[in-house]
Amino acid sequence: LMTEAIFSLKGHRKEAGFSVDELKGTLKGKDAEISYLDGMPPAQNVSVQGTFDKKSFDFTIFSGNVDYVEVEKGHILISGLD
């Protein structure tokens, strides 16, 4: 469950559509379920907070579990999205 999502978007009109110049924001979640790899059980009851922009997602996992394995804290950085 995402409990908060804030973002800003700046762009301009192009001949054929719209071009995104800047995208950034923050996300917070509690009791979320996250699927991370096909065929693997999802992470459940996840408490997460992170930021994103056009180039990356940067998240801190505060708690959660995968099956019976408890996750206490972790960090996920997905970069190179541009």
Side-chain angles (χ1 to χ4, degrees):
L1 171 67
M2 297 313 291
T3 58
E4 182 179 302
I6 300 170
F7 74 95
S8 68
L9 171 70
K10 293 181 183 178
H12 64 276
R13 189 177 139 220
K14 291 173 58 174
E15 250 184 67
F18 183 81
S19 179
V20 176
D21 298 324
E22 183 178 299
L23 171 67
K24 60 184 177 179
T26 61
L27 297 170
K28 291 181 183 179
K30 184 177 179 183
D31 298 326
E33 181 172 294
I34 300 173
S35 297
Y36 53 95
L37 287 174
D38 285 339
M40 297 294 289
Q44 297 177 314
N45 306 310
V46 175
S47 175
V48 61
Q49 181 174 327
T51 61
F52 63 91
D53 58 26
K54 282 178 55 173
K55 298 179 181 183
S56 65
F57 283 89
D58 189 357
F59 291 100
T60 299
I61 306 294
F62 296 103
S63 63
N65 64 283
V66 177
D67 283 338
Y68 298 103
V69 178
E70 295 291 324
V71 176
E72 291 182 14
K73 191 168 184 182
H75 182 245
I76 300 170
L77 175 62
I78 303 170
S79 60
L81 299 177
D82 53 342

